[in-house]
Amino acid sequence: MTKTIDARGLSCPQPVLMFLEAVKSAGDTEFEVLVDTEASKENVSRAAESQNCKVTHIRETGDEYHLTIVK
Amino acid sequence: MTKNFWATRTGIIVVGAAIGVLAPLLQKLGNPGNMGICVACFERDISGALGFHRAAVVQYMRPEIIGFVLGSLAAALAFKDFRPRTGSAPFVRFVLGVFAMIGALVFLGCPWRALLRLAGGDLNAILGLAGLVFGIWIGTLFLKNGYNLGRTQKTHTAAGLLMPVVMLGFLVLMLIFPQIDGEPKNDILFYSLKGPGAMSAPLIISLVAGLVIGFLAQRSRFCTMGAFRDLLLFRQMHLFTGVLTLLVVAGIANLVLGQFNMGFEKQPVAHTLHLWNFAGMALAGLAFALAGGCPGRQLFLAGEGDGDAAVFVFGMIVGAGFAHNFGLASSPAGVGPHGIAAVIVGFVVCLAIGMSMRKQ
């Protein structure tokens, strides 16, 4: 199941905290993380790698980034 | 998509090293002792230059600060990373900025200067750094419990440009009203005739160094608070690697430049009251953690369009006014007459903010 995490408008460390919380709760194996700064995109990607997850796709729409992350 | 080199491990190490070289060089070229760069001290000097406080020894419109914001703006524009945004509890951030500055001035330095003081051999900085980590640790407890100041909103490009424009305005004021030899004031701007405020590298060098650091720090997201926070919260070393590099490189640079002098006593712009070095920086660390960035990072965020970070910066500048007008700031003689009371009040306010502002 894909879990969507809307971290738009939130600055670090909130997007990373939200992502880690989702990863640690059982059930979901795919995550769609929405952020709107490049720093958040980098931070969430870095956190994903540290959790042995893979950022499979990053879609840029306007001022937003949609990260697809697989556990 | 091109990968941002500066956000890699090598990138953050290069940035830490660049600051570690530039800060001791700025000191060599005239900036105060172990204060090649100090964001809190320099914002305090700007506050003095504008007459928000009248401590005669700390009045100078520091071009490094102006450069930080403008350099960050340049990087953000060049790499399409300029994001005008605002609206995440601005007044809370202002208050956090006020107490961040008060805490920093009880210790006598921001986290950057704490590192630079240690790199210059000032062992009192160990207490400050320990306090900083303690304050940030309290902040991480709030973060784990849902502390959140809410989302920002996208705003007008012009709104995002306002902080850089204000900094540009400060630079113009400095060019119109430069320091006159032996005069404490040129029309509207105040200058120091002695003390740290009278010590500065040449304007152009300070400005260029600020621009370079602002540019690099925007790309790399260099943040001293974030370094310890991420380590405590996520066991993540990324930003910490940059901070550690800064410390080591600045130490070597100081040895090479003959600016290294180890001990507790008679350190430049420092006092030896261990408890208040610790507590002052603990308050500052907590305020930085609740606001999401060290004073340097707030300047870089303000440069890339974050209006809330700009409010924090001005909270710090106003906080410097409180700190010196009310006798809260320390000096080499020790803490100010009301410094201890201010640290206690600051802790009460910051703890209340951390406890009460949680996501529903």
Side-chain angles (χ1 to χ4, degrees):
Chain A
M1 229 179 73
T2 305
K3 186 176 171 66
T4 302
I5 300 156
D6 183 1
R8 289 175 296 179
L10 295 171
S11 49
C12 58
Q14 304 294 349
V16 174
L17 279 170
M18 291 164 80
F19 167 71
L20 291 180
E21 198 182 324
V23 166
K24 279 166 188 163
S25 64
D28 304 302
T29 51
E30 196 178 295
F31 307 88
E32 175 96 356
V33 185
L34 282 53
V35 294
D36 59 3
T37 64
E38 207 182 295
S40 294
K41 180 194 78 180
E42 291 162 4
N43 291 342
V44 171
S45 302
R46 210 175 283 123
E49 280 160 31
S50 75
Q51 296 295 314
N52 295 317
C53 297
K54 207 171 158 54
V55 183
T56 54
H57 186 66
I58 298 176
R59 189 158 53 93
E60 240 185 289
T61 55
D63 286 346
E64 294 176 8
Y65 302 95
H66 293 209
L67 285 78
T68 309
I69 300 171
V70 179
K71 199 166 159 179
Chain B
M1 192 182 320
T2 51
K3 177 110 174 137
N4 176 8
F5 162 74
W6 299 105
T8 64
R9 166 154 295 200
T10 317
I12 197 86
I13 288 175
V14 173
V15 175
I19 300 171
V21 170
L22 285 172
L25 276 176
L26 284 168
Q27 181 185 335
K28 191 79 190 169
L29 292 169
N31 279 2
N34 293 345
M35 205 193 282
I37 297 167
C38 170
V39 177
C41 315
F42 287 4
E43 287 174 354
R44 182 265 320 270
D45 294 349
I46 287 179
S47 188
L50 297 169
F52 293 176
H53 67 71
R54 300 298 304 281
V57 291
V58 283
Q59 300 170 329
Y60 181 58
M61 185 69 81
R62 295 279 176 188
E64 288 88 350
I65 299 294
I66 296 168
F68 281 1
V69 175
L70 298 179
S72 165
L73 171 72
L77 291 176
F79 291 90
K80 296 192 175 20
D81 201 12
F82 182 71
R83 299 287 156 91
R85 56 193 190 273
T86 190
S88 169
F91 189 64
V92 176
R93 293 172 189 277
F94 183 89
V95 171
L96 289 171
V98 169
F99 285 109
M101 180 61 98
I102 291 170
L105 290 180
V106 167
F107 164 67
L108 290 171
C110 71
W112 289 32
R113 183 167 191 247
L115 295 164
L116 293 171
R117 279 173 62 171
L118 187 57
D122 178 352
L123 299 177
N124 299 295
I126 295 170
L127 281 301
L129 285 168
L132 178 71
V133 174
F134 180 70
I136 295 169
W137 174 73
I138 299 174
T140 63
L141 298 183
F142 289 128
L143 286 165
K144 280 182 191 165
N145 276 299
Y147 168 79
N148 191 331
L149 287 180
R151 293 174 199 264
T152 55
Q153 303 288 324
K154 247 181 249 174
T155 183
H156 311 287
T157 302
L161 286 171
L162 207 47
M163 179 67 165
V165 168
V166 167
M167 287 293 152
L168 208 54
F170 283 173
L171 182 62
V172 170
L173 284 182
M174 215 182 162
L175 298 176
I176 299 175
F177 305 107
Q179 182 156 23
I180 304 167
D181 260 351
E183 293 290 328
K185 199 178 176 193
N186 183 355
D187 205 343
I188 60 168
L189 287 187
F190 292 90
Y191 290 92
S192 294
L193 296 177
K194 57 185 175 64
M199 302 170 77
S200 65
L203 190 158
I204 186 72
I205 292 175
S206 293
L207 184 64
V208 170
L211 287 168
V212 170
I213 292 172
F215 192 97
L216 294 177
Q218 194 282 334
R219 295 316 295 150
S220 65
R221 337 291 180 199
F222 185 87
C223 177
T224 54
M225 184 286 295
F228 295 108
R229 178 199 62 202
D230 291 353
L231 202 59
L232 293 166
L233 204 54
F234 309 132
R235 308 266 168 260
Q236 207 214 74
M237 290 284 291
H238 177 71
L239 289 171
F240 186 72
T241 317
V243 163
L244 211 56
T245 310
L246 190 168
L247 177 66
V248 171
V249 172
I252 296 168
N254 279 328
L255 282 169
V256 172
L257 295 169
Q259 297 175 161
F260 189 85
N261 172 29
M262 197 158 84
F264 283 99
E265 303 292 331
K266 295 203 169 64
Q267 293 290 346
V269 202
H271 62 77
T272 55
L273 300 170
H274 301 328
L275 174 63
W276 298 105
N277 278 326
F278 180 90
M281 214 46 171
L283 170 60
L286 174 57
F288 301 148
L290 294 176
C294 75
R297 177 75 182 139
Q298 303 281 356
L299 288 170
F300 311 132
L301 284 169
E304 61 171 67
D306 185 339
D308 298 326
V311 171
F312 182 91
V313 170
F314 269 81
M316 285 192 68
I317 290 173
V318 171
F322 281 114
H324 285 285
N325 293 341
F326 288 7
L328 317 177
S330 298
S331 70
V335 294
H338 301 294
I340 292 168
V343 169
I344 294 167
V345 172
F347 262 108
V348 170
V349 172
C350 290
L351 291 171
I353 287 174
M355 279 187 263
S356 59
M357 302 187 190
R358 294 196 291 179
K359 203 173 69 178
Q360 304 307 318

